[in-house]
Amino acid sequence: MSSVEIGAITHLMMNQFDRPEAPLTVEPVTILGDSAIAGWRQGDMAGRALLRRSADGWAIVLCAGEEVLDPAFLAHNGIGMEAAHGLTDAARSAESGLGAELIARLDAFDGVVMIASGDAHDHGQHGDGHSSAAGH
């Protein structure tokens, strides 16, 4: 994984979700090909983002919890099964150093929130509406 690519993903997420009153922490970031999984924390919320790279750069596809570490879930969201297995294995490995409490927080994100291009700038912090898709 390139530190430039990790920086681009972190920058994207910070631009969309970081707020002075609710700072965002992005870690770990796992990249395989044109797909990535990024763990995030903001206030009492935490979860994972699935991202894809296109010719225009990285974009956030969705935010969820433990579902993002399920290869079948990733395959359903457009990632080939072999790549999905590789990405989830790499993400689990990257998260292994975070400790059980933080992994449990990442897993506990409730629901799956699709992030449409352009919508994320208006959705405030992760704690505002990310617990269900109804907020979008």
Side-chain angles (χ1 to χ4, degrees):
M1 284 185 291
S2 153
S3 61
V4 171
E5 294 297 321
I6 291 171
I9 289 170
T10 302
H11 180 75
L12 168 69
M13 293 182 68
M14 296 296 284
N15 273 349
Q16 290 186 336
F17 302 119
D18 189 50
R19 303 285 179 265
E21 70 281 1
L24 180 72
T25 301
V26 179
E27 74 169 331
V29 176
T30 305
I31 303 168
L32 182 64
D34 289 331
S35 301
I37 295 173
W40 58 266
R41 298 183 304 272
Q42 189 172 39
D44 61 355
M45 297 287 296
R48 295 177 184 90
L50 173 63
L51 300 98
R52 280 207 202 96
R53 179 176 30 209
S54 69
D56 296 328
W58 289 100
I60 302 168
V61 176
L62 59 84
C63 287
E66 65 186 334
E67 299 90 346
V68 176
L69 298 180
D70 178 355
F73 176 84
L74 295 182
H76 178 75
N77 283 282
I79 298 175
M81 189 56 85
E82 185 177 332
H85 278 282
L87 184 58
T88 57
D89 289 348
R92 286 181 192 279
S93 177
E95 288 182 6
S96 67
L98 297 178
E101 182 179 326
L102 181 49
I103 292 170
R105 284 185 65 201
L106 298 174
D107 286 348
F109 185 92
D110 185 23
V112 175
V113 177
M114 302 306 290
I115 307 293
S117 180
D119 288 351
H121 290 283
D122 298 327
H123 107 334
Q125 68 182 29
H126 274 98
D128 290 343
H130 255 193
S131 61
S132 75
H136 293 310

